[in-house]
Amino acid sequence: MDEIEHKYVQANGLKLHVAEIGSESSPVVVFLHGFPEIWYSWRHQMIAVAKAGFRAIAPDYRGYGLSDPPPQPEKTTFLDLISDLLAILDALNISKVFLVSKDFGSAVVSIFVLLHQERVSGFVTLGVPFRPPRLPTHHKLLPEGFYISRWQEPGRAEADFGRLDAKTVVRNIYIMFSRSEIPIAQENQEIMDIVEPSTPLPSWFSEEDLAAYGALYEKSGFQTALQVPYR
């Protein structure tokens, strides 16, 4: 991890954290995380890409990890994240990039590619396909106790998460997301109550990883993360 460097970029009035590795003269690959990911999620891929001759960059979105929170998290939109990405590229004097994204980061890429095609050499989306922006309708088909349905309700997830420390919230989410079927909460049950405290972490997620994620979300909280993408 010592090979990865960290810096802050002023973008749209916020100080945004950027992790990077590789020569500044190399082609650039930007990695965009989802939830509950963070820049740290890409650490292995960043090192591999740098060894292959690229410059790898992974920012934390506004309100995530080490980046500043927006002044009004409840008003943050995908367009803010796209504007921040453009501002980061401009601040680092990067004219063209390859974009790699996971989860809702794929929506950021989809919109960015359409608005700023001249800045993109190519892109990869993981977990969510490329799709032009449109009003979401899938949530209407989800059961009431599904995590997306619950997290769309202002205040409910905040109250649920607020009973626990950030590390435990991240732990429970990764345990849920690692299952072949994500459980549905019962009417009188909150999402955090689905996971028993004695449940072990997935084999691919270490206690060291959990400590790193917990520390980052302890700093940022979950307010912006619940707004984008869930609301």
Side-chain angles (χ1 to χ4, degrees):
M1 293 291 291
D2 293 339
E3 299 167 282
I4 295 176
E5 298 178 349
H6 300 269
K7 64 176 60 174
Y8 290 89
V9 172
Q10 288 292 335
N12 299 317
L14 300 174
K15 188 172 69 171
L16 302 182
H17 169 253
V18 175
E20 71 168 296
I21 180 173
S23 169
E24 289 191 4
S25 61
S26 299
V28 179
V29 180
V30 174
F31 293 92
L32 299 170
H33 64 80
F35 178 76
E37 279 78 45
I38 218 75
W39 80 264
Y40 180 87
S41 310
W42 296 110
R43 63 201 182 283
H44 300 306
Q45 291 83 358
M46 291 175 70
I47 292 171
V49 161
K51 287 180 177 177
F54 295 86
R55 179 184 179 190
I57 294 174
D60 286 331
Y61 300 126
R62 59 170 60 197
Y64 278 79
L66 299 173
S67 290
D68 281 349
Q72 294 179 295
E74 71 281 1
K75 294 185 178 180
T76 302
T77 71
F78 276 101
L79 287 177
D80 291 318
L81 306 189
I82 283 119
S83 178
D84 289 345
L85 175 56
L86 183 64
I88 288 171
L89 298 184
D90 288 344
L92 298 178
N93 295 313
I94 297 170
S95 58
K96 275 206 167 189
V97 293
F98 293 91
L99 297 173
V100 180
S101 62
K102 179 187 180 295
D103 188 53
F104 84 83
S106 298
V108 176
V109 167
S110 295
I111 303 170
F112 189 89
V113 168
L114 292 173
L115 294 179
H116 306 290
Q117 185 176 357
E118 74 286 353
R119 305 297 291 270
V120 181
S121 300
F123 66 92
V124 176
T125 63
L126 303 172
V128 176
F130 171 85
R131 56 188 180 191
R134 62 181 184 273
L135 289 174
T137 56
H138 65 278
H139 62 279
K140 297 177 181 178
L141 305 175
L142 299 175
E144 185 278 332
F146 194 58
Y147 77 95
I148 291 177
S149 303
R150 291 287 182 86
W151 292 353
Q152 285 179 332
E153 184 181 333
R156 185 158 189 174
E158 287 86 340
D160 188 17
F161 291 5
R163 299 175 296 149
L164 308 167
D165 59 43
K167 181 177 174 180
T168 303
V169 172
V170 173
R171 172 187 174 277
N172 288 353
I173 291 172
Y174 267 109
I175 289 172
M176 283 196 305
F177 284 6
S178 68
R179 295 173 176 172
S180 56
E181 291 186 8
I182 296 178
I184 307 297
Q186 299 175 13
E187 186 176 350
N188 61 347
Q189 183 184 43
E190 298 301 324
I191 297 298
M192 288 293 107
D193 295 329
I194 292 175
V195 179
E196 293 290 336
S198 59
T199 307
L201 288 169
S203 60
W204 43 264
F205 194 70
S206 70
E207 288 289 344
E208 182 183 5
D209 294 337
L210 178 58
Y213 277 75
L216 289 168
Y217 276 101
E218 192 70 45
K219 179 189 180 301
S220 68
F222 295 95
Q223 197 172 6
T224 308
L226 288 167
Q227 174 64 21
V228 181
Y230 296 104
R231 299 171 188 166

